[in-house]
């Protein structure tokens, strides 16, 4: 009888150990499922936030969209008649306005070229209060694709931010829609030349550019441009065939002399 009792005890202990192991496995499985669920919820939460932010950014109140037609280069000094004021795109000069803060108006044909590279052009009424101007200028940090300047033409509001094919007009520099617009469209990628430079070209204001052109325009015309350099690969050499034509003419003349 004693032997039987010990055997039963061993079986009971074995059963208890198996049950304890099953409990551990169930707890581990439950923890794993919980961890996966938490991670999935976090990912979905981040994805949902990103989608919401994207939707919110793309639906900024007050943004107007325009179709930009011809955006070819015109001769430096030519004045372009833009459909919008300030312009949101169109024909422009081969050089661009360097991104940065300006205390005087800049040349529209240069600023449009900057927008073609992904810049946002923030323009404001020259009579805007100084504290408002300072708030606008604080938008810029070195390296940003922003051109900030007063604007002497017609504007739908005291402050207008323009990017390629888009524009927003606000009454205050503290308007949340303005900061969201700048944040979303600065370094825009849906532009003709995304990532192209916004420095190394024209730093002068409109009056300085006009004065420079009146004096010959050497510095303006020599500024960096999108045009291929003279003699660059692919450029046509119109005189390439001329030596051959001269040789043929000499050969014909020689033949006539022989006759």
């Amino acid at each position: 009888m004693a032997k039987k009792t010990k055997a039963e005890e061993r079986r009971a202990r074995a059963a208890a150990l198996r049950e304890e192991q099953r409990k551990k496995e169930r707890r581990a499985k439950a923890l794993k499922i919980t961890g996966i669920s938490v991670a999935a919820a976090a990912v979905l939460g981040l994805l949902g936030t990103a989608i919401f932010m994207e939707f919110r950014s793309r639906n900024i109140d007050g943004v107007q969209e325009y179709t930009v037609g011809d955006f070819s280069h015109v001769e430096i000094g030519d004045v372009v008649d833009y459909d919008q004021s300030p312009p949101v795109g169109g024909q422009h000069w081969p050089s661009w306005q360097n991104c940065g803060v300006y205390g005087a108006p800049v040349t529209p044909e240069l600023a449009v070229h900057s927008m073609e590279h992904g810049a946002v052009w923030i323009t404001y009424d020259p009579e805007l209060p100084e504290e408002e101007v300072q708030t606008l200028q604080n938008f810029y940090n070195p390296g940003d694709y922003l051109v900030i300047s007063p604007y002497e033409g017609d504007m739908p509001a005291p402050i207008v931010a323009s990017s390629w094919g888009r524009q927003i007009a606000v009454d205050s520099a503290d308007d949340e829609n303005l900061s969201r617009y700048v944040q979303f469209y600065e370094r825009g990628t849906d532009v003709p030349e995304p990532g192209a430079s916004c420095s190394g070209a024209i730093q002068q204001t409109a009056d300085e550019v006009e004065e420079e052109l009146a004096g010959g325009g050497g510095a303006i015309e020599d500024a960096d441009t999108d045009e291929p350099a003279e003699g660059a690969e692919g450029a046509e050499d119109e005189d390439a065939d001329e030596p051959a034509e001269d040789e043929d003419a000499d050969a014909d003349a020689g033949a006539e002399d022989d006759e």
Side-chain angles (χ1 to χ4, degrees):
M1 181 66 70
K3 291 183 178 179
K4 184 177 181 180
T5 300
K6 290 180 178 179
E8 289 175 348
E9 290 176 353
R10 287 195 297 271
R11 287 195 294 272
R13 284 197 299 272
L17 289 173
R18 287 194 297 271
E19 181 62 24
E20 182 64 26
Q21 183 63 30
R22 283 195 292 269
K23 288 181 179 179
K24 289 181 180 180
E25 290 174 353
R26 285 196 295 271
R27 283 197 297 271
K29 185 176 181 179
L31 289 173
K32 184 177 180 180
I33 292 174
T34 301
I36 293 173
S37 299
V38 170
V43 170
L44 289 175
L46 291 172
L47 181 60
T49 300
I51 292 174
F52 172 75
M53 292 301 294
E54 175 76 3
F55 176 82
R56 188 168 180 262
S57 296
R58 286 192 175 276
N59 289 272
I60 303 169
D61 290 342
V63 175
Q64 301 292 321
E65 298 196 356
Y66 304 90
T67 299
V68 179
D70 183 8
F71 51 91
S72 60
H73 290 178
V74 298
E75 293 292 330
I76 292 177
D78 285 358
V79 177
V80 178
D81 184 16
Y82 291 108
D83 293 334
Q84 293 80 32
S85 180
V88 299
Q91 292 182 314
H92 50 274
W93 294 0
S95 296
W96 54 89
Q97 190 75 40
N98 289 346
C99 284
V101 175
Y102 295 86
V106 298
T107 305
E109 290 80 7
L110 294 172
V112 167
H113 196 152
S114 302
M115 290 193 291
E116 186 185 43
H117 291 184
V120 172
W121 184 18
I122 301 176
T123 51
Y124 58 88
D125 188 321
E127 300 300 321
L128 194 71
E130 183 58 34
E131 60 271 19
E132 291 274 298
V133 173
Q134 187 60 55
T135 299
L136 293 177
Q137 292 178 347
N138 289 341
F139 276 96
Y140 180 79
N141 292 298
D144 287 347
Y145 273 47
L146 293 176
V147 177
I148 303 173
S149 70
Y151 187 80
E152 293 181 336
D154 294 332
M155 291 201 300
I159 302 168
V160 175
S162 307
S163 57
W164 194 262
R166 297 181 181 89
Q167 192 171 81
I168 186 170
V170 299
D171 294 323
S172 171
D174 295 322
D175 193 309
E176 179 185 359
N177 288 308
L178 174 63
S179 60
R180 288 171 56 203
Y181 183 95
V182 172
Q183 181 180 12
F184 191 77
Y185 291 111
E186 189 255 339
R187 291 182 185 270
T189 56
D190 56 344
V191 298
E193 297 179 11
S197 179
C198 200
S199 61
I202 305 299
Q203 190 69 31
Q204 293 93 327
T205 64
D207 286 345
E208 292 169 340
V209 167
E210 186 175 349
E211 182 179 353
E212 174 71 24
L213 291 177
I220 302 299
E221 293 175 354
D222 291 340
D224 200 2
T225 70
D226 285 341
E227 301 288 8
E230 184 177 355
E233 183 178 354
E236 295 182 0
D237 185 356
E238 298 178 354
D239 297 331
D241 294 334
E242 289 185 1
E245 293 174 358
D246 291 340
E247 290 175 4
D248 291 342
D250 291 341
D252 292 340
E256 293 174 359
D257 291 340
D258 291 340
E259 292 176 358

